[in-house]
Amino acid sequence: MTYVTFCRMLLIVFLVNFANYNCVISKSDVLIENSDALEFNIADSSKVKRFDEIIIFGASKKLEKITESPTAISSLDKTDIRMATRTNQVANAFEGLAGIDILRNGTSDFIVNTRGFNNGLNRRLLVLQDGRDLAMPLLGAQEWNSLSLPLDEFSKIEFIKGPASALYGANCFNGVMSLTSYAPKEVIGTKVSLLGGDYETFRADIRHAGLISNKLSYKLTLGKSGSLNLSKSRTDSSQLEYEGVKLERRPIYEDERNTNSTYGTIRFDYDINESSKTLIEFGYSDSGNEVFVQPLGRVLVTNTQRPYARIAYNSEHLNFHASYMRRDVRDSMWLLFAFRGPGFPLGSPLLTDDEDILLDLQYNNFLNESKTLSYVIGISQQFQNINTHKTTLINEVNADFTGIYAQLNYDIAKDLKLVATGRFDRTNLHSSQFSPRGALVYSLNSYHKLRISASSSFQRPNYSELFRFTPDRALNPTSTANLSNINSIVTDSLKKWTNNPNLESVQLGLNSLRGYAVGKSDLEVEKNLGFEFGYQGIINDNFYLTADIYYNQLTNFITNFGPGYNNSIQKWSANLGDNLSEYNAKVSEIIYGRLTGDDKIRLSYFQDKPALIQSVGNFGNVEQYGIDLALNWYLMDNLILSANYSYYNFIFDKKPGEPEISSN
């Protein structure tokens, strides 16, 4: 251990103990396919909130006890979040919660998912920060390093598990993560945080909040972080970490291994009266040097700038939210595997200049004096402008999305509640969608509650899946060697078959094959219909048990980018002309016999030329089912023992003629 490392460790220990005392012991396994997971946590906190006291908002878009939620939901309060700050990563805050997958995808990037397939570019989980969608517009996935607030600036995090389009619309296919930041009046004063560690890790944050008047308050946050990226170049076979990793054409230079982020926000809150307030907030982040693992290969993003602004009005019955976000990546996003050469118009780097505008208006109230019948109605409008300057998408895309939703909550009896929800979504990109949800919550008594529900969600294809046109990797080295003199080989064979020694040389166009990743503009919307049974129980005042059993049916499943998935792209075959057409099959057999790996599937006709193509498609049907169990044992007022268990399985029903796809 070096002297510098030792000093960093002392600093971390001092800061953690100075701020608060907490102890967490955990063991976790992340499972994707047929799997079991068992996890234990021991946590000490000075303020423990029992589960029957937890108030949530996201499950019904109104305040209610977590024990009355119509869907499975996990909630972290400020105490839980403070303990999770030891990792300094928002995604890691959910370690230890049943049914949630957390995979690391880079130095500061994570893939978070629940109840379903996870991959290197997961976008099936809607992530909201104070109602604002955090996903990058182009791909719909998260960039965790670009957040404008550190983890300990959030007062509450809610995680809805299961289909949720009935309230939230598209892209909450498997669930919703909602992060709520502190209001200025909750954190009056100044706070400074420092973090350091191995791999040149550091983080410095400052927050100051105060009062301008009794009604007007403000909050200012600033921060900077950095860490050494462990990703290295793969331009030489000696640099490959394990068998199966493919060579890349662009190296990662030493100064591109310093993953970094600079961020800040300023917020003003005005209290109109005791039950209503309005706010305005501006934020900005400048992050870079992160390597993302995607299905098509690794991508290096050396700089991303993301400014945003939002305004909101919240009262007892009416809530309004509007936000604007921009994502600029200029000359700094590199496809490490892609070929770039003279006359090749695409190549790296890629550019993006995206905008997202979201407006949401929601009203809730009671329909009768006894308050047994209540409703929530709302309308949302979103505009997205995607401009990649023809480096990722050929044309600029202007999309708009409109959603109208309503929910009825009816206390049928003292111990039985009905929740019925429906949402209609339209867009200029695909067909309109209707998403219903129905749930019954039954109380055996004040300590034991049962829940049964059916809900749906839909996942619209992202713009890359629809309109992508980027370079892809070239032929495998063995295929390249085998095709080096293919024109001569085929010509000689034809001379023998035709007994014509004077036959002109055949040019097949296979000596300089280009690789492309292309979208499929007529992709269908992916749909998810889920059924769920849940139990929540308090036993002897000290044990809190939850059990969720679920079954999901997925249709129009959208694949990752891969070979042979797009049935609208013609597979390559030899075309020797009318005079030699009888030999087309033999020549095709020669060519495919010399290709190795997935080159045999990638070889296609594209834009009237042979090319190596990877694309996407809608495939088959998928059935998913599983169980999530969670037990909290309140040993004493400030000590909890928790144990979680999750099981997940799936059945993939592949239609005849469809190629094999990986379960991940």
Side-chain angles (χ1 to χ4, degrees):
M1 181 183 297
T2 65
Y3 175 75
V4 174
T5 301
F6 177 74
C7 291
R8 287 174 176 167
M9 292 178 63
L10 285 179
L11 176 62
I12 295 169
V13 171
F14 170 76
L15 290 172
V16 169
N17 283 279
F18 181 78
N20 62 283
Y21 169 76
N22 63 74
C23 171
V24 175
I25 304 171
S26 66
K27 178 179 183 291
S28 178
D29 294 314
V30 177
L31 304 140
I32 304 303
E33 297 190 14
N34 307 354
S35 53
D36 298 317
L38 184 62
E39 177 159 331
F40 293 94
N41 290 277
I42 298 177
D44 170 75
S45 170
S46 58
K47 294 182 181 179
V48 169
K49 183 178 290 186
R50 295 180 180 266
F51 275 80
D52 57 344
E53 301 172 338
I54 295 175
I55 303 298
I56 60 171
F57 178 83
S60 300
K61 283 199 172 181
K62 71 181 189 69
L63 296 176
E64 61 187 352
K65 286 187 176 182
I66 195 171
T67 52
E68 299 174 354
S69 169
T71 187
I73 186 171
S74 298
S75 178
L76 301 179
D77 62 14
K78 57 186 178 182
T79 302
D80 303 316
I81 296 170
R82 187 177 71 244
M83 290 190 291
T85 58
R86 70 194 189 278
T87 66
N88 201 44
Q89 301 286 354
V90 172
N92 274 344
F94 287 94
E95 283 186 338
L97 297 183
I100 298 176
D101 293 335
I102 303 173
L103 307 178
R104 192 152 192 164
N105 194 38
T107 298
S108 57
D109 193 66
F110 294 81
I111 307 165
V112 184
N113 191 36
T114 181
R115 297 187 179 181
F117 296 112
N118 214 348
N119 59 42
L121 194 64
N122 180 61
R123 56 188 174 77
R124 290 179 167 89
L125 180 72
L126 180 65
V127 180
L128 303 173
Q129 177 186 318
D130 298 310
R132 183 174 65 89
D133 190 350
L134 294 183
M136 65 176 91
L138 175 64
L139 300 176
Q142 307 302 318
E143 287 177 298
W144 295 104
N145 196 38
S146 68
L147 262 66
S148 55
L149 287 170
L151 174 59
D152 55 3
E153 285 301 315
F154 296 108
S155 60
K156 176 183 286 188
I157 305 177
E158 296 179 357
F159 203 123
I160 301 170
K161 291 176 280 188
S165 289
L167 274 180
Y168 291 93
N171 301 344
C172 48
F173 196 73
N174 291 336
V176 180
M177 180 194 295
S178 178
L179 303 96
T180 303
S181 62
Y182 283 107
K185 283 189 174 181
E186 294 180 287
V187 287
I188 296 294
T190 303
K191 185 197 75 168
V192 178
S193 299
L194 299 172
L195 180 147
D198 283 342
Y199 303 106
E200 302 179 15
T201 299
F202 75 90
R203 185 157 196 157
D205 296 291
I206 183 170
R207 177 189 68 210
H208 177 71
L211 298 175
I212 298 175
S213 67
N214 289 335
K215 291 190 173 183
L216 183 61
S217 56
Y218 68 93
K219 184 179 72 170
L220 175 69
T221 66
L222 292 171
K224 187 174 181 61
S225 65
S227 187
L228 179 64
N229 197 314
L230 299 183
S231 300
K232 298 182 180 180
S233 296
R234 295 174 177 172
T235 55
D236 185 88
S237 58
S238 63
Q239 298 172 321
L240 302 183
E241 295 91 337
Y242 49 87
E243 186 178 353
V245 174
K246 293 181 171 58
L247 289 172
E248 297 170 342
R249 293 183 176 270
R250 185 197 186 279
I252 300 174
Y253 299 107
E254 197 61 30
D255 62 346
E256 295 173 336
R257 296 183 60 210
N258 299 313
T259 302
N260 60 83
S261 182
T262 304
Y263 44 89
T265 65
I266 183 169
R267 170 174 167 173
F268 295 93
D269 285 29
Y270 182 76
D271 297 333
I272 300 172
N273 52 48
E274 290 184 359
S275 61
S276 61
K277 71 176 183 179
T278 185
L279 67 87
I280 183 170
E281 181 180 74
F282 301 94
Y284 176 81
S285 68
D286 186 322
S287 59
N289 290 343
E290 181 62 280
V291 178
F292 301 93
V293 180
Q294 298 185 8
L296 283 172
R298 297 195 302 172
V299 177
L300 168 67
V301 182
T302 57
N303 183 251
T304 300
Q305 299 177 37
R306 295 186 68 168
Y308 77 87
R310 72 181 184 98
I311 59 174
Y313 169 81
N314 298 290
S315 65
E316 183 179 0
H317 299 295
L318 183 65
N319 297 283
F320 172 74
H321 174 262
S323 64
Y324 170 84
M325 186 270 290
R326 189 181 189 94
R327 181 178 184 267
D328 288 331
V329 179
R330 300 185 177 276
D331 296 322
S332 55
M333 185 162 63
W334 299 84
L335 305 175
L336 298 180
F337 55 86
F339 179 85
R340 187 186 186 192
F344 193 52
L346 296 172
S348 294
L350 305 180
L351 316 174
T352 65
D353 181 11
D354 306 334
E355 293 179 304
D356 184 289
I357 299 173
L358 175 66
L359 302 97
D360 189 272
L361 179 65
Q362 175 250 318
Y363 181 80
N364 66 85
N365 209 335
F366 293 96
L367 284 171
N368 55 5
E369 293 184 1
S370 61
K371 295 186 177 182
T372 59
L373 190 60
S374 63
Y375 66 92
V376 177
I377 57 174
I379 182 170
S380 66
Q381 178 67 48
Q382 187 176 23
F383 301 95
Q384 290 187 335
N385 173 259
I386 311 297
N387 187 2
T388 67
H389 306 281
K390 299 187 178 181
T391 62
T392 305
L393 313 180
I394 294 298
N395 298 310
E396 183 176 351
V397 179
N398 291 286
D400 70 90
F401 310 93
T402 305
I404 302 173
Y405 57 92
Q407 178 169 283
L408 185 69
N409 299 271
Y410 178 39
D411 295 332
I412 301 174
K414 184 179 180 180
D415 53 3
L416 183 63
K417 180 176 77 169
L418 168 69
V419 180
T421 315
R423 177 170 173 135
F424 176 79
D425 285 274
R426 61 141 301 273
T427 176
N428 60 336
L429 292 183
H430 55 72
S431 60
S432 298
Q433 302 293 317
F434 176 69
S435 306
R437 178 181 74 174
L440 284 171
V441 181
Y442 176 66
S443 299
L444 297 172
N445 52 47
S446 58
Y447 294 100
H448 303 280
K449 297 180 184 292
L450 300 175
R451 180 188 71 253
I452 185 170
S453 65
S455 57
S456 66
S457 63
F458 68 97
Q459 178 74 41
R460 62 187 183 224
N462 65 36
Y463 303 107
S464 175
E465 292 167 337
L466 290 171
F467 309 118
R468 182 170 186 159
F469 183 38
T470 60
D472 190 30
R473 53 188 172 82
L475 284 168
N476 297 323
T478 304
S479 296
T480 302
N482 291 345
L483 295 181
S484 60
N485 59 343
I486 192 63
N487 290 334
S488 298
I489 294 173
V490 170
T491 300
D492 290 343
S493 298
L494 287 170
K495 287 179 179 180
K496 293 179 181 178
W497 297 335
T498 61
N499 293 318
N500 182 4
N502 299 318
L503 185 70
E504 293 185 4
S505 177
V506 174
Q507 301 298 317
L508 298 173
L510 300 177
N511 292 331
S512 57
L513 282 172
R514 298 298 193 196
Y516 301 95
V518 300
K520 190 175 190 295
S521 60
D522 59 349
L523 277 174
E524 297 288 339
V525 170
E526 190 174 3
K527 297 181 181 180
N528 185 1
L529 176 62
F531 302 90
E532 182 180 296
F533 172 79
Y535 164 79
Q536 296 173 317
I538 300 174
I539 305 169
N540 295 330
D541 290 331
N542 293 319
F543 293 91
Y544 182 81
L545 175 66
T546 64
D548 297 301
I549 302 172
Y550 61 90
Y551 170 80
N552 295 336
Q553 294 179 336
L554 278 61
T555 54
N556 294 332
F557 187 76
I558 299 175
T559 69
N560 289 327
F561 276 86
Y565 296 163
N566 189 339
N567 54 17
S568 64
I569 294 179
Q570 182 184 354
K571 188 173 178 60
W572 182 90
S573 61
N575 184 5
L576 303 175
D578 294 339
N579 294 334
L580 298 172
S581 60
E582 61 182 294
Y583 303 108
N584 284 339
K586 286 187 175 182
V587 171
S588 298
E589 185 178 349
I590 291 175
I591 302 303
Y592 282 103
R594 289 177 164 268
L595 297 176
T596 59
D598 62 4
D599 291 342
K600 294 182 179 181
I601 309 175
R602 288 199 296 155
L603 185 59
S604 310
Y605 266 121
F606 185 71
Q607 296 180 340
D608 299 322
K609 295 180 181 179
L612 301 165
I613 301 298
Q614 296 201 77
S615 188
V616 293
N618 293 110
F619 273 69
N621 300 312
V622 180
E623 297 178 66
Q624 300 177 143
Y625 55 92
I627 182 171
D628 299 326
L629 301 174
L631 174 67
N632 274 31
W633 181 14
Y634 294 84
L635 297 170
M636 56 184 69
D637 288 342
N638 60 351
L639 186 63
I640 305 172
L641 170 67
S642 64
N644 298 327
Y645 171 81
S646 294
Y647 172 80
Y648 168 75
N649 202 350
F650 68 93
I651 300 172
F652 185 78
D653 181 17
K654 187 171 72 70
K655 298 176 182 177
E658 293 178 342
E660 296 292 337
I661 66 172
S662 62
S663 60
N664 216 17

